Amino acid sequence: MEAKINYTIRTMREEDYDRVLALWKSIRGLGLRSIDDSREGIARFIRRNPTTSIVAEMDGRIVGTVLCGHDGREGSFYHVCVADSCRKRGIGGAMVTAAMLALRREHINKVTLIAFQSNELGNAFWREEGWSRREDIYSYAFILNGENITRFNGQSGLS
């Protein structure tokens, strides 16, 4: 059994960006977009959704994130992650719960996320948390800005 660790769950702020980005860059397989995940892109997201994105903090270090927003009808999770050294200690579940409670306070009744099929660890987490994988829909995307390039941490050959 892992030793208990002390951490704080709180709302993400714009000034967290450097520490959040450092965490995201450390997570193998996490895709970062050049524009959306830039300082300006994350600041825009947080200003639009000021109460719903969550961080876990331990000893002044950001060890987990849930980038969370909504469109007035449905919430979405992005970049849900926990530092490798802090996994399997309840941090992910605590952050997800905090984000879902924030959405409920804004009268949002459904939340969705996209997990890459190759993300075995993430997909196992969502199943353990009781989320249902949809089999009845297709997901489509249309690129509005080709400069918004996705790079995957620690994996070659993905673009």
Side-chain angles (χ1 to χ4, degrees):
M1 184 169 154
E2 295 284 340
K4 180 156 174 54
I5 59 172
N6 292 317
Y7 58 87
T8 303
I9 303 294
R10 64 169 175 79
T11 304
M12 186 185 294
R13 302 182 295 252
E14 288 183 45
E15 57 268 22
D16 293 326
Y17 180 77
D18 291 325
R19 293 183 299 151
V20 164
L21 183 63
L23 172 65
W24 289 345
K25 286 181 174 181
S26 77
I27 303 296
R28 181 170 170 79
L30 190 130
L32 294 173
R33 293 185 183 156
S34 58
I35 296 173
D36 294 339
D37 294 321
S38 68
R39 182 180 304 278
E40 297 76 22
I42 296 301
R44 183 176 51 252
F45 188 91
I46 290 173
R47 284 192 300 268
R48 188 176 195 288
N49 302 278
T51 66
T52 53
S53 291
I54 303 296
V55 296
E57 191 171 28
M58 184 174 67
D59 298 326
R61 187 170 66 111
I62 301 287
V63 297
T65 66
V66 176
L67 193 59
C68 174
H70 69 84
D71 60 8
R73 177 182 171 125
E74 183 173 277
S76 297
F77 283 176
Y78 310 91
H79 297 345
V80 179
C81 63
V82 175
D84 289 345
S85 62
C86 299
R87 291 183 179 158
K88 299 292 186 185
R89 298 181 185 179
I91 295 172
M95 289 189 309
V96 165
T97 298
M100 289 192 301
L101 290 171
L103 289 170
R104 285 186 70 184
R105 285 191 293 274
E106 297 195 24
H107 308 287
I108 302 301
N109 298 304
K110 180 181 179 184
V111 62
T112 62
L113 62 95
I114 294 173
F116 291 105
Q117 290 177 1
S118 62
N119 183 353
E120 294 174 19
L121 186 67
N123 286 305
F125 171 80
W126 296 114
R127 284 190 301 272
E128 290 169 12
E129 290 291 311
W131 287 57
S132 301
R133 191 177 94 177
R134 303 267 318 247
E135 304 281 345
D136 60 330
I137 62 172
Y138 294 107
S139 178
Y140 296 92
F142 189 90
I143 305 301
L144 294 175
N145 185 339
E147 300 296 316
N148 195 20
I149 299 166
T150 302
R151 301 254 190 268
F152 292 89
N153 297 332
Q155 296 179 342
S156 61
L158 296 176
S159 57

